[in-house]
Amino acid sequence: MPAPRPRTDAWHAAPYDAALRSGGGPLYLRRDDGTAVELEVRRWCARADAADLTVVRRCEGAVLDIGCGPGRLVTALAERGVPGLGIDLSPAAVARTVRAGGTALRRSVFDRLPGDGRWDTALLIDGNIGIGGDPSALLRRVAQLVTPGGLLIAETAHADLDECARVRLDDGRGSSGAVFPWAWLGPRALARRAAAEGWRVTEEWSAGRRRFTALRPA
């Protein structure tokens, strides 16, 4: 059965949808203490870049892109003839993915999904290891989605973080969304949490300013 579903509804409301429709933002993830991280909406809405392609080349079999956003990875996979499905709570994200030639559904990772237990590769890119604010619960859910020898590729923070905070989406112009939990993990924290949930790290790499970890069920 799917894991209990944490609150993720902020990702299908303004200002996130508005930022994706415009293709450029600005959009911030603002913490309760007032500090903010600018989200890379323009990069998300562009074609897959060189760092993204290091992920695409490592994908095996059928691919589930969790929190696919506007679908650049799903589209890049489709262009290579690789079967892939993106899931995202944002109608604007799903619409952009489909217009670009990818396949996407408006779903949460904690919903029942097509192909539960049969995905060869799962992706948690652009910080999506933070979905739900509980990376351990997310890792348990992904273990239910992939095949017994399946592959998970996650993008991590560069710094050695293991942090959860209450945040809201903010467009910097006075529009903000509901408060929800989010998490940030660096490579060592991901490896530690993954080992506790029955995953093993098989590869770590950097591309530009971004860092990635590949894992398989232990």
Side-chain angles (χ1 to χ4, degrees), residues 61-65 74 77-78 82-86 102-104 119:
V63 181
L64 179 67
D65 186 2
V74 176
L77 290 164
V82 178
L85 173 67
T103 302
W119 293 100

Side-chain angles (χ1 to χ4, degrees), residues 77-103:
L77 290 164
E79 290 171 350
R80 289 159 176 75
V82 178
L85 173 67
I87 57 169
D88 203 288
L89 284 171
S90 163
V94 171
R96 284 193 71 122
T97 301
V98 172
R99 284 199 304 271
T103 302

Side-chain angles (χ1 to χ4, degrees), residues 2-166:
R5 177 174 172 166
R7 181 172 184 172
T8 50
D9 54 322
W11 291 98
H12 66 81
Y16 180 57
D17 276 0
L20 292 191
R21 283 193 291 268
S22 74
L27 187 66
Y28 302 88
L29 208 55
R30 190 172 300 280
R31 306 176 194 228
D32 274 355
D33 65 6
T35 59
V37 177
E38 185 169 6
L39 301 176
E40 297 182 78
V41 177
R42 193 171 300 279
R43 177 173 65 79
W44 297 351
C45 291
R47 290 179 60 83
D49 62 17
D52 295 324
L53 294 179
T54 68
V55 173
V56 169
R57 288 194 293 269
R58 287 169 167 83
C59 288
E60 302 170 355
V63 181
L64 179 67
D65 186 2
I66 299 164
C68 67
R72 72 188 190 282
L73 293 174
V74 176
T75 303
L77 290 164
E79 290 171 350
R80 289 159 176 75
V82 178
L85 173 67
I87 57 169
D88 203 288
L89 284 171
S90 163
V94 171
R96 284 193 71 122
T97 301
V98 172
R99 284 199 304 271
T103 302
L105 294 174
R106 186 181 171 192
R107 303 281 177 85
S108 163
V109 64
F110 297 100
D111 290 337
R112 190 177 300 279
L113 297 174
D116 267 16
R118 300 192 301 275
W119 293 100
D120 299 298
T121 303
L123 302 179
L124 288 168
I125 307 302
D126 299 325
N128 284 336
I129 189 64
I131 288 172
D134 186 345
S136 297
L138 182 57
L139 288 165
R140 289 193 295 271
R141 175 58 180 142
V142 176
Q144 297 173 339
L145 293 169
V146 299
T147 61
L151 174 66
L152 167 61
I153 301 177
E155 184 171 355
T156 66
H158 254 284
D160 187 28
L161 298 176
D162 189 347
E163 180 183 0
C164 179
R166 286 162 50 86

